[in-house]
Amino acid sequence: MHEFSLALGLVDRLKELAKENNAKKINKVYIRWGKLSGVIIDSFVFSFNMIKEEEELLKNCEIIVNEEPIVYKCLDCSLEFEKEDFKFPKCPNCSSLNVKQIKGDAFIIEKVELETEEEEK
Ligand SMILES: [Zn+2]
């Protein structure tokens, strides 16, 4: 149920954002997510879609997930490279195993599309 509480957290954050911006609706929320974040994204989206039904503000809110690639940096030759999985990454340039993961664990709100009073005529 970890994903459910994360979804609740997102809903709270969106409510705050709406308040700060005097928005009466949130149409879209973009999430940047990487496999290494440990979040099971399908459950998260499912939970969010369930919770949003209870919130007037979010009823029509669409959630869009942008997947962040897993990127490593070689500490020997400084090459940055993408890799689909995260088992024994090896530098494609110099074959070094001395690599550091620099991307792929994101789990953040990237962008939110709000609907404010002013915009509606
Ligand atoms: Zn290298």
Side-chain angles (χ1 to χ4, degrees):
M1 290 312 269
H2 179 54
E3 278 68 24
F4 189 80
S5 45
L6 287 174
L8 274 177
L10 173 63
V11 167
D12 284 348
R13 184 69 194 115
L14 291 175
K15 281 193 208 163
E16 271 173 38
L17 275 173
K19 214 174 184 182
E20 285 164 18
N21 295 285
N22 281 320
K24 50 176 200 135
K25 262 190 208 162
I26 295 182
N27 293 329
K28 277 181 188 167
V29 56
Y30 294 82
I31 302 291
R32 173 171 273 266
W33 166 83
K35 276 195 189 96
L36 300 181
S37 64
V39 177
I40 303 162
I41 199 68
D42 291 348
S43 327
F44 175 75
V45 170
F46 179 81
S47 302
F48 178 79
N49 284 332
M50 206 165 72
I51 301 165
K52 78 173 189 187
E53 295 298 324
E54 308 295 317
E55 305 285 343
E56 200 49 48
L57 184 74
L58 299 169
K59 263 202 173 116
N60 299 311
C61 179
E62 194 185 337
I63 185 164
I64 294 133
V65 176
N66 292 319
E67 185 172 347
E68 180 178 84
I70 301 172
V71 177
Y72 291 93
K73 184 175 182 168
C74 174
L75 298 177
D76 287 328
C77 74
S78 298
L79 179 80
E80 293 183 8
F81 58 99
E82 259 183 51
K83 211 170 173 289
E84 250 316 293
D85 63 87
F86 38 90
K87 283 173 195 127
F88 306 110
K90 188 165 106 177
C91 175
N93 182 44
C94 71
S95 299
S96 171
L97 293 169
N98 191 15
V99 298
K100 189 177 156 221
Q101 176 236 321
I102 55 169
K103 270 188 199 161
D105 57 2
F107 184 61
I108 52 163
I109 301 175
E110 205 165 40
K111 200 172 83 181
V112 176
E113 281 178 24
L114 304 161
E115 197 175 301
T116 52
E117 305 277 352
E118 291 78 28
E119 276 168 4
E120 208 174 75
K121 296 230 165 81

